Amino acid sequence: MLKSANKVIAIFLIALAIMYIFAAIRLPNYPYIPVDSEAVPITLGIILIILSIFLFFQKDNHDKKKIPKKDVTAILTVVGLILAYIMLLEFLGFFLSTALFLFVNTWIMGYRKWLSNLITSITIPLFIYLLFTQFLDIVLPRGILPF
């Protein structure tokens, strides 16, 4: 049944998504907020389950190709950056940690136009922060910034 790598990865991702959803359900509730803190994580977990189901039923080509060492290094670098982002999220806050993550990640992946990278890395988290805090009334970690 689990002869293809896609099926093994899909089952692993489904189990991970289920654990993620259960952890999201345990987040504390905030009074007087129309969209609570677990809304986005639960939605992301459901999306991961749906995409994992598609991956499970996707036909796997049987060509055993080796992943180039450069790609493995890039994947491990991104995983390390994600772990650093998770660890810094509460301390630095959503805006700073996301801007730093976006800038460093795109720089490491090879995008060298620092000005456009900096502008993008600042405007996207700012837009998301304002959208969540002002329009959806979702509390995001503030960190060391006063807003």
Side-chain angles (χ1 to χ4, degrees):
M1 179 182 157
L2 298 177
K3 290 184 178 181
S4 73
N6 284 351
K7 291 184 179 186
V8 172
I9 293 170
I11 289 175
F12 172 75
L13 290 176
I14 289 172
L16 183 70
I18 290 170
M19 290 186 299
Y20 182 75
I21 290 172
F22 280 125
I25 290 171
R26 296 183 52 162
L27 288 172
N29 292 329
Y30 295 100
Y32 312 114
I33 295 179
V35 180
D36 215 352
S37 60
E38 77 262 358
V40 173
I42 290 174
T43 304
L44 291 176
I46 292 170
I47 290 171
L48 181 58
I49 289 174
I50 292 168
L51 292 175
S52 299
I53 291 170
F54 285 134
L55 179 64
F56 185 84
F57 291 110
Q58 185 178 16
K59 187 164 177 102
D60 190 20
N61 57 359
H62 295 289
D63 297 337
K64 300 278 183 180
K65 296 181 181 177
K66 270 194 128 172
I67 300 174
K69 187 175 182 179
K70 181 181 177 185
D71 291 346
V72 172
T73 304
I75 291 169
L76 292 177
T77 303
V78 171
V79 168
L81 287 172
I82 291 170
L83 292 175
Y85 174 76
I86 292 168
M87 293 172 63
L88 292 173
L89 185 61
E90 285 293 324
F91 176 71
L92 292 179
F94 173 81
F95 177 71
L96 282 180
S97 59
T98 305
L100 185 64
F101 172 77
L102 288 175
F103 185 83
V104 171
N105 196 18
T106 52
W107 187 268
I108 288 175
M109 291 298 126
Y111 190 76
R112 299 289 184 228
K113 295 182 179 178
W114 67 272
L115 184 60
S116 60
N117 190 9
L118 183 67
I119 291 169
T120 304
S121 298
I122 290 174
T123 55
I124 288 175
L126 183 63
F127 174 76
I128 293 171
Y129 185 81
L130 292 175
L131 175 71
F132 275 47
T133 57
Q134 301 301 315
F135 296 107
L136 297 175
D137 286 334
I138 296 175
V139 178
L140 293 174
R142 288 179 33 185
I144 58 177
L145 292 179
F147 59 90

